[in-house]
């Protein structure tokens, strides 16, 4: 599993939403350079949980470094 997959797979998102006590969001569309993509990360930002998600990821990194 690549580093990106280690932190952004579906199970991780489920763990995050459970940790903050909210129902999982649907993906949100983002337009960049005339391309539209749907991403769960954008939904997290739009719903005001970017700080919590960043802290969640940092805790995973710290735990993996401690092992």
């Amino acid at each position: 599993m690549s580093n990106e997959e280690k932190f952004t797979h579906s199970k991780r998102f489920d763990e995050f939403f459970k940790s903050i006590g909210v129902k999982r969001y649907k993906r949100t569309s983002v337009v960049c350079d005339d391309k539209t993509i749907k991403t769960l990360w954008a939904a997290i930002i739009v719903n005001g949980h970017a700080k919590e998600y960043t802290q969640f990821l940092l805790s995973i990194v710290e735990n993996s470094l401690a092992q």
Side-chain angles (χ1 to χ4, degrees):
M1 183 179 296
S2 74
N3 283 339
E4 180 180 328
E5 292 169 345
K6 184 174 183 179
F7 301 112
T8 60
H9 59 77
S10 185
K11 182 180 174 187
R12 270 307 171 224
F13 284 121
D14 290 341
E15 291 171 2
F16 167 69
F17 289 115
K18 184 177 180 181
S19 76
I20 63 170
V22 298
K23 185 177 174 185
R24 183 182 174 129
Y25 307 133
K26 292 184 179 180
R27 294 177 182 183
T28 299
S29 295
V30 177
V31 178
C32 181
D33 296 329
D34 296 327
K35 295 179 185 175
T36 302
I37 61 168
K38 287 185 122 183
T39 175
L40 194 49
W41 174 232
I44 290 170
I45 294 169
V46 168
N47 284 285
H49 290 114
K51 182 178 179 179
E52 291 89 342
Y53 189 64
T54 301
Q55 291 172 336
F56 175 78
L57 292 177
L58 286 173
S59 70
I60 293 169
V61 170
E62 289 170 353
N63 289 340
S64 68
L65 292 174
Q67 295 177 359

